Each structure stands twice: as C-alpha cells, then as structure tokens.
Amino acid sequence: MTKQIHLNAFAQHSVSPHAIGLWKHPDHEGDAHGSLSYWLKLSEILERGTFDTLFLADVLGIYDVYEGSSRAALEQAVQVPAHDPTVIVSALAQATKHLGFAVTVSATYASPYKLARLFSTLDHVTDGRIAWNVVTGYLESEARNLGLAGRIQHDERYDRADEFLDVVYKLWEQSWERDAIVKDVQKGRYIDSSKVHPIRHEGKYFDVPGIHLVDPSPQRTPVLFQAGASSRGRDFAAKHAEAIFTDTQNSKEAVPALRSFTADLRRRLQWNGRRPDALKVFPGFVPVVGSTEEEAWRHYEELKSYVNYDGSAALLSGHAGFDFSTLDPDEYVENLPSGAIQSTFESYTSTKPDAKWTVRDAILHHGIGAGSTPIVGTPEQIADRLETLVVDGGADGFNVGQTVTLRSIETFVDEVVPELRARSLFRETYEDGTLRERLFGKGQRELRDDHYGRRVTIEKGDVFA
Amino acid sequence: MTKQIHLNAFAQHSVSPHAIGLWKHPDHEGDAHGSLSYWLKLSEILERGTFDTLFLADVLGIYDVYEGSSRAALEQAVQVPAHDPTVIVSALAQATKHLGFAVTVSATYASPYKLARLFSTLDHVTDGRIAWNVVTGYLESEARNLGLAGRIQHDERYDRADEFLDVVYKLWEQSWERDAIVKDVQKGRYIDSSKVHPIRHEGKYFDVPGIHLVDPSPQRTPVLFQAGASSRGRDFAAKHAEAIFTDTQNSKEAVPALRSFTADLRRRLQWNGRRPDALKVFPGFVPVVGSTEEEAWRHYEELKSYVNYDGSAALLSGHAGFDFSTLDPDEYVENLPSGAIQSTFESYTSTKPDAKWTVRDAILHHGIGAGSTPIVGTPEQIADRLETLVVDGGADGFNVGQTVTLRSIETFVDEVVPELRARSLFRETYEDGTLRERLFGKGQRELRDDHYGRRVTIEKGDVFA
C-alpha cells in the first residue's frame, strides 16, 4: 500500500498572515478573520478535503526590525492584528467532526500549570482533536511586552522549554490515574483521591507542587507539533515532537536536502529511544494552481503583483533578526556577501534557479507564502512534486499555505486533493478517532510508549503531603 | 416604568461547583461539563429565559485548607476538576444570539498584555457580548503552583490589580484609534500606522512598551464584573467595576444591610467621579422552588440530604482561610467565639433565624449554593423576595445559583422568570446590542464617559519611537 500522507492547513488569526499585501486582492476574505463565520467556512472546506488539522500559527509581538519601526508591519497588516488563536477552537470543534486543531502557544511566555489546563480543556471539548505547536518565540517585541528585559538567548529558551515540557508531562501523564474518577454514589466519592497525585516539581525555572486541575482528556498530552531547524531545535524535536514543520525548496537539491534532514531526525529519534516513525515531517508549501503550467505562472505573477515590498521585507526582517532595509533592492542576490543573508534568500531563488534574482525579486517572492515555498503548476504537477517529496524526500505530509484566502485553499481541496486521492496518497474519508490515532494508527490515543513524556515520573505520595 | 432587573446564571467549568455532594443526585448532569453539549444545553435554556449572562466563576487551585489536605475536595469534586472557562465561549457564542458571557480570569496570575489580547479576541467573536470578572485569587495553592512563593497579601494584590487595569485600559482604549483600519487599496495601506500607538507603560509591577495586538472590538473594554466586600475591594469596584456580585441573606436585616451596601458603593462611585447608576449590584442567591411553600422546603431538605459535610467544609475552609475541621460539628453556632468564625455562619443561620443552628447544619446548608443564600418558596414568594431586594435593597439584578444542574436553572427559567415578567420586572425579549448596551442603554457600546478607564491616557508618539 502507498504511504498515506497528512495535510495541515497553515493559518493564523490575522488578516493575511502569510501573503503580504494580498489583502488588496478583490477575492481576499481575510479581513473577516475576527468573526467566527470566516473560520467556520474554512473548517468546512478543510473537512470536505479530509485535512488532518487546521494549523494556527501565532506571534505575540510586532515585526519592528525593518527600519527599526512597526510602520511597515502595520500598514501591510503583517501578522497584525494578532488575535488569540485558542479562542476560536471550541466553535470550530462544535461545527466539525474530524478536523484536528494544531494551536501555537509560546512556552516562553506561559506558565506550565495554566498551559496544561488550557490544552487539557481543549482536548476535552474537541474530543481528542487538539495539538499544541510548541514555540519559544523569536520576536524581541514579544519579550519586552511580556515583562522580560529582552529576548532570552536561543539555547536558554530551549533549556527552559525542556523543563516546561517536563512539568506539563507530569501534569498530563502522571498526576491523574486514568480511573481516578469513580462516581461512586454508594461510597459517596466522585474521585478516588488516592489516584490523584501532586507532581512536586522543583526545577531551575519552575516549582509546581500541586495536582493537575483537569481530569485525563482523550489524548492526555496533546499531539506535539514543533518547528526547529537548528541543531538544538532538532534535538528538541527528536525528544518531544510528534510532528515537525519544516521548509522545503524547489531546486533539484531540495529533495536530497529533505531526505538528509529527515534521515538526521530519524537518527536523533533513535538516540532518544524512539522508533524512526515516531515523528512526522511536514514541509510547508504554497500551492499556486493553474489548468496549465502557463496559467499557473500567470497566477503566480498576479499574486506577486499584489505583494508589498516593505511589508514582505518587514516580515523577513523579523524572521531573520536582520534589517533588510539596509540592502539595495536592485542588488543581485548572488552579489551579496555569502553567509546568513544570502542563504536567507536561497529558498526563494531555488524556485527559478536559472534566473538572476534581485533582492527585490526575492523579497516580493517571500511575500507569497511568508517563507513557505510556492509550488506552481497544474494539479498533476503539484501532486508529482508532493509525491517526490514523500517518496524520495521522506516527507510524511505537508503544511499547506494560503495566498488569497479562502479561495486558494478551496482550490487546493477541489483540484489537488482529488489528484492525491487518485494516486492513493491521501484518504478518501475520515475514520473515527483522536488526532493522534489518525497520525499513528488506531488505538494510539495517548503518547506512544517510546516517547520521553511516557518515562517522566513523579514520586507518588498522597494528597495529604 | 418599573425598574428592569438583570439576571446572570452562576456557573463554573466543573462538576458541581456550588452544590457540594449533589453530583450524587440522579438528575444531576454536571459530570458532562467537559463536553460542549452540556454548555450548549445550558446556553439554550438561558437564552430562552432572556438572561443577561452566563457567569463563569473559576479557581486555579485546590481547596486544601480543610484538614491541610486535598482529600475532601477531591472526593467531593469541590471545584475540581477545574477546566479553563475561556475555552468554551466561542462555541456558545456561535449557538446563541444575545446571551452574554462573564468570564473569570485572575489578574494575579496573568500578564496584562496577553489578557488584553484574550478578551479583545473574545469580544470580537461574541460580537460584543463579553464581560471579564476581575478576581485577584484567594487560594494559597494557586500562588504556589503559579510560581509565587505564597499568596500575595490582600492589599498588595489590589495594588497590583490596579496597575494591571491601567495597562489593559491603555491597550483597549488608547492604543488603536477607532478608525485605524482603513483598508485603503488605492494608497496600499490596510492600517493607518499613525493611528496605532505604543502605550509605553512603565510601572511598579509592569512594563509594557508596545501596541495592543488586537484592533478595537465592539466594546473595546469588556464589561467589568467584580466581587469585593472589603473596604479595599469596594474602592476597587467603585473605581473599575460596572457590575458587582455580592452575597445577600434571608433575615429581615438583610434588606437594610443590602441597602446600606449599595448606598456605600454609590458614595464611593461619586468619589470616583461616577454617577450613581454606573455600577450594577447583583446579589447572588440559589432558588429552591416548590408549588407550595411546604414542597419547596421538602425540596430544600432533599437537596441538603445530598450535601457532603467534608466537601462543604473544605469549600468553606478555602473561602475563609480557616480549617473548619477544628470545630465540633455538634457545637451550636451561637456558642462559638464571636468574630470571624461566627460571622462566617451568619448568612446561613439567617435562613431560619429562629432555629438553633449547629456547625453541622450551617456547613451542610453552605453546601447548597456555596455561600449564595438559598431562597426557598413558591415562584411568587421568590419573586416577592427578589422584588424586595430590588425595590428596598437597591439591587439591580441577581446572580442565580444552581443546585441540581441543569434542572434547577431550567425550573427557575420556566417558573420564576414568567412571574418576574408578569410584574414587568424583567424583559420579555432581547433587544439587539452589546452586553454593555443591555446593562447601560442603547448606544452605550463602550465604557461610559464617567468611567476611570476613559481617563487613562498615553503619550501618543508614533510607531517609530
């Protein structure tokens, strides 16, 4: 049987978060994101397309690295407004039956005790369809507004996140035994208190002595998504993540690069005592579909004509932590000093590797997909590329980006999904079960036994202590 | 025209949060609280009863003062499990048209920057039907699990909450001008960046330099609920609250006591430059309805027979910060040393002032309503009492507690609400509008001009700074 892929729709609770300037497009509906009807319509499309999840990215800050100002980010609505993505989940869960929800919450600015409660509640109301996308934050402006003097250093963010996860595993996996709720009317006990345990966590960053506030939810620990490309980030993923979101490129080298990325991850999984299939790898991309290749490229050029240079550069400057206003837009990328800045552009120039790319070209291209590589072509060509990334690159599925919302994701569902189904790469219908069961097989409601979170233990004393 | 009252349904995202032991009652449905269907059913009942809000109480800790242990609280499910109340709002907003949602979030354990984003998002998705019940937390166990060495002292909690509110007013009221979103396709600007202002807050407890992450919602600032009985608490309410939740009692003295409470609040309002009608006073009570007075009292005795002594004492011990296991259950209340302990019981003994109350009687009585006084009688008698509390006591409406959920609130809607409507005390149908408009009149979508939050200002620099 052909490998079955997974599909997540990449979204964010903002106007046009990953297509900068496309708010001007007459068919763009993203300015309705503040109302539930927009999200209900998206969820209906995704459930029709038997998607695995609606993936909700998030930031808690503003893109103010470009020109040292928020001006460009504000004018182009670059991930601002940034509404709270956790709020909409219950309405969408009520309106759907199978769609999962992967919600981004930064571990850097949360309390593990409250975050554990939030996700357990979400897992209850979605009946086991919730994932947590674990991020540690990259925007200095987040840190300042949340009371930290500056952004915590990259590696320390991961150290803290590591302990954060220890705490939440203890709360989710260890605090309540599965059968703690007894509802024993005869004995007059709702909960068997001997089966609820204070976690007594004392660490470098957190002290959490008490019990978890929520009884075990269908999945206990939400499905854990993560995106991390650095070595430290990959180690973190290999220890904790069940799904990792990564970038891919369009060049010929992109397939071996993805294969070596997935192979590297599988090795790191092994070092963590996990089987090679314990982590799903989801490259992100943006479909640009046409009935012919030429029409698809015309569509690409039309999209690019809506992209705003300042806004796209503001987004890229925030991601890279470098002010791209210091570069000449007419300079050729190949003439830039080699190193971080040039490599930032590599994923864009790889889309048309034979062309000479200016900084302007690359920045405008970045505006379509916000770093997720556009895949431009007919439904067959796009399915070909995805199949190659799966078969030769080792991808387990994809995060599908949007351009003109909601039209672009609907086009993907109506035109590319049938092609994937015809190749037996993607499900025709949903089976019942939790989100984790859909990713890891029937019966796998909770973390797999090879996951680190299953091995975290607490000293089980009674509630008197 | 007769004064129109407001009704809020008192609930919490737990099994039987305000009726301790009633989970054993065969008609009790509270163990379904983890699923949305339970809340959808409750919301449907409340909208049929034209209630103003579903009021969601919350705690972040466990009741472990009694016997120095969580045992009794766990066994009787005393506000544990404690799911996150913010999660369910969007599903309920989608299923209703008019019902408001007053959600409790502790200011002590939140960041003002994130809380402001949460409530702005909630106000958007509910289309202006959200209220924030501002609490500062009373459980030591909350503080310990949230990384504070111990509970912050009472007055300092209020000082910190005062500054917390300064920050969120700046974010809600000042950061974005109403017309900042321009969607100007010609000029290529979605937001006029000159109309979005960093708040530059630097204070004793918080530094928040940036802009609010969310564009202005229908009410901007959510309707502000608060409960505070101490002098410091009343000052806080008189400055910030638009609705205050208080206790009442059953004795003859209760009406003048409520009148003097409301009069005291009106004076404090004046000191804060607010008009006397700027704060709605909502006593809490629990209806125990019968077709005759005798039947109502039989119903009361039936409810009391389900109350669990340990669980009720655990709740009371947590509220009072005193371990009631040190008292002899057979001791008469009148023989207790006068002072705080005896006065804790006053609201219970006032229900039947002529009887001799033991500690056991009072604790079991506390289990029905969790401190909200039961009003026992026919629909007419209950309506009489409520009318007296409004006309002679100065109440603006009530928080209606529950016993056997959802039956008890449905009985109130079906039997008492029609009686209130027949007296022209309560609306027959909803009018369109935001929650604040329902409380303060058509057109009053945002904070009134006499509210302190309208006078908080920021220095408006541009986004470059």
Side-chain angles (χ1 to χ4, degrees), chain B residues 176-187:
Chain B
W176 290 64
E177 296 181 33
R178 175 60 74 190
D179 55 354
I181 292 187
V182 290
K183 297 184 200 173
D184 187 334
V185 173
Q186 294 304 318
K187 289 192 184 157

Side-chain angles (χ1 to χ4, degrees), chain A residues 23 31 58 60 74-76 81-84 87 90-91 109 111 113-114 117 121 145-146 188 190-191 210 213 215, chain B residues 31 58 60 74-76 81-84 87 90-91 109 111 113-114 117 121 145-146 188 190-191 209-210 213 215:
Chain A
W23 62 266
D31 50 353
D58 190 34
L60 278 166
L74 281 167
E75 288 189 357
Q76 299 307 320
H83 293 209
D84 188 326
V87 164
S90 75
Y109 308 112
S111 120
Y113 182 70
K114 282 174 71 177
R117 179 169 95 131
T121 306
N145 286 308
L146 286 150
Y190 191 85
I191 296 166
L213 289 171
D215 48 310
Chain B
D31 50 352
D58 189 35
L60 278 166
L74 280 167
E75 288 188 356
Q76 299 307 319
H83 293 209
D84 188 327
V87 164
S90 74
Y109 309 110
S111 119
Y113 182 69
K114 283 175 70 177
R117 179 169 94 133
T121 305
N145 286 307
L146 286 150
Y190 191 85
I191 295 166
L213 289 171
D215 48 310

Side-chain angles (χ1 to χ4, degrees), chain B residues 163-347:
Chain B
E163 190 187 327
F164 191 110
L165 280 154
D166 273 359
V167 178
V168 294
Y169 292 139
K170 289 176 184 180
L171 292 166
W172 285 326
E173 299 284 326
Q174 297 287 324
S175 183
W176 290 64
E177 296 181 33
R178 175 60 74 190
D179 55 354
I181 292 187
V182 290
K183 297 184 200 173
D184 187 334
V185 173
Q186 294 304 318
K187 289 192 184 157
R189 291 190 316 185
Y190 191 85
I191 295 166
D192 179 347
S193 64
S194 73
K195 294 187 171 177
V196 184
H197 311 285
I199 67 165
R200 296 199 180 91
H201 178 88
E202 290 180 27
K204 180 176 173 191
Y205 299 98
F206 307 104
D207 288 336
V208 180
I211 66 162
H212 188 33
L213 289 171
V214 183
D215 48 310
S217 63
Q219 301 185 116
R220 281 188 174 259
T221 295
V223 175
L224 297 169
F225 274 61
Q226 204 244 337
S230 68
S231 177
R232 187 73 179 82
R234 290 185 195 193
D235 279 340
F236 188 87
K239 181 173 173 187
H240 299 291
E242 299 174 270
I244 187 168
F245 169 44
T246 184
D247 289 334
T248 183
Q249 301 178 13
N250 275 317
S251 63
K252 278 183 191 153
E253 297 76 43
V255 177
L258 180 62
R259 190 166 59 232
S260 106
F261 175 75
T262 53
D264 176 66
L265 279 175
R266 309 282 179 226
R267 267 194 304 279
R268 291 175 199 252
L269 284 174
Q270 212 167 8
W271 299 338
N272 281 280
R274 299 173 72 188
R275 293 192 296 279
D277 63 347
L279 176 62
K280 304 296 181 193
V281 179
F282 298 143
F285 78 97
V286 183
V288 182
V289 188
S291 58
T292 64
E293 189 176 347
E294 293 66 37
E295 189 186 283
W297 278 106
R298 274 201 305 278
H299 186 196
Y300 169 85
E301 290 299 333
E302 188 217 359
L303 294 175
K304 207 167 82 170
S305 74
Y306 282 95
V307 173
N308 176 276
Y309 182 86
D310 275 356
S312 182
L315 182 71
L316 189 61
S317 298
H319 285 159
F322 172 84
D323 180 359
F324 280 87
S325 74
T326 59
L327 299 185
D328 176 0
D330 294 317
E331 183 64 86
Y332 287 107
V333 168
E334 62 192 30
N335 295 341
L336 294 175
S338 64
I341 304 311
Q342 201 181 55
S343 76
T344 299
F345 286 122
E346 261 171 31
S347 61

Side-chain angles (χ1 to χ4, degrees), chain A residues 95-391:
Chain A
T96 55
K97 275 192 179 168
H98 299 284
L99 185 66
F101 305 94
V103 186
T104 302
V105 178
S106 170
T108 303
Y109 308 112
S111 120
Y113 182 70
K114 282 174 71 177
L115 180 135
R117 179 169 95 131
L118 171 65
F119 274 96
S120 292
T121 306
L122 287 167
D123 201 43
H124 274 293
V125 300
T126 61
D127 208 8
R129 291 188 273 147
I130 203 79
W132 174 29
N133 180 38
V134 186
V135 299
T136 57
Y138 51 84
L139 293 174
E140 180 93 17
S141 57
E142 296 183 336
R144 277 184 274 115
N145 286 308
L146 286 150
L148 303 179
R151 197 173 53 170
I152 305 174
Q153 286 306 306
H154 181 270
D155 279 5
E156 188 174 358
R157 287 211 312 275
Y158 275 114
D159 287 346
R160 190 180 171 286
D162 238 350
E163 190 188 326
F164 191 110
L165 279 155
D166 272 0
V167 178
V168 294
Y169 292 140
K170 289 177 184 179
L171 292 166
W172 285 326
E173 298 285 326
Q174 297 286 325
S175 183
W176 290 65
E177 296 182 32
R178 174 61 71 190
D179 55 354
I181 292 188
V182 290
K183 297 183 200 173
D184 187 334
V185 174
Q186 294 303 318
K187 290 191 184 157
R189 291 190 316 186
Y190 191 85
I191 296 166
D192 179 347
S193 64
S194 73
K195 295 186 171 177
V196 184
H197 311 285
I199 67 165
R200 297 199 180 91
H201 179 88
E202 290 181 27
K204 180 177 172 190
Y205 298 98
F206 307 106
D207 288 336
V208 181
I211 66 162
H212 188 33
L213 289 171
V214 183
D215 48 310
S217 63
Q219 302 184 116
R220 283 187 172 259
T221 295
V223 175
L224 297 170
F225 274 60
Q226 204 242 335
S230 69
S231 177
R232 187 71 181 84
R234 291 186 194 191
D235 279 341
F236 187 87
K239 181 174 173 187
H240 299 291
E242 299 175 271
I244 187 168
F245 169 43
T246 185
D247 289 334
T248 184
Q249 302 179 12
N250 276 316
S251 63
K252 278 182 191 155
E253 297 75 43
V255 177
L258 179 62
R259 190 165 60 232
S260 107
F261 175 75
T262 54
D264 177 65
L265 279 175
R266 310 283 179 226
R267 267 194 305 279
R268 291 175 199 251
L269 285 173
Q270 212 167 7
W271 299 339
N272 281 280
R274 300 174 72 188
R275 295 191 297 279
D277 63 347
L279 176 62
K280 305 295 181 193
V281 179
F282 297 143
F285 78 98
V286 184
V288 181
V289 187
S291 57
T292 63
E293 190 176 346
E294 293 65 38
E295 187 186 284
W297 278 106
R298 275 201 305 278
H299 186 196
Y300 168 84
E301 291 299 333
E302 188 219 358
L303 294 176
K304 208 168 81 170
S305 75
Y306 282 95
V307 173
N308 176 275
Y309 182 87
D310 275 355
S312 181
L315 182 71
L316 188 61
S317 299
H319 285 158
F322 172 83
D323 181 359
F324 281 85
S325 73
T326 58
L327 299 185
D328 175 2
D330 293 317
E331 183 64 87
Y332 286 107
V333 168
E334 63 193 29
N335 295 340
L336 294 176
S338 64
I341 303 311
Q342 202 181 53
S343 76
T344 299
F345 287 122
E346 260 170 31
S347 60
Y348 318 124
T349 56
S350 75
T351 297
K352 280 185 170 177
D354 300 331
K356 268 177 84 83
W357 285 68
T358 61
V359 167
R360 177 179 287 106
D361 291 333
I363 296 263
L364 293 180
H365 182 89
H366 181 73
I368 306 169
S372 291
T373 302
I375 298 182
V376 184
T378 64
E380 295 72 26
Q381 288 174 320
I382 292 175
D384 284 347
R385 180 70 183 171
L386 299 183
E387 190 164 2
T388 301
L389 290 166
V390 169
V391 175

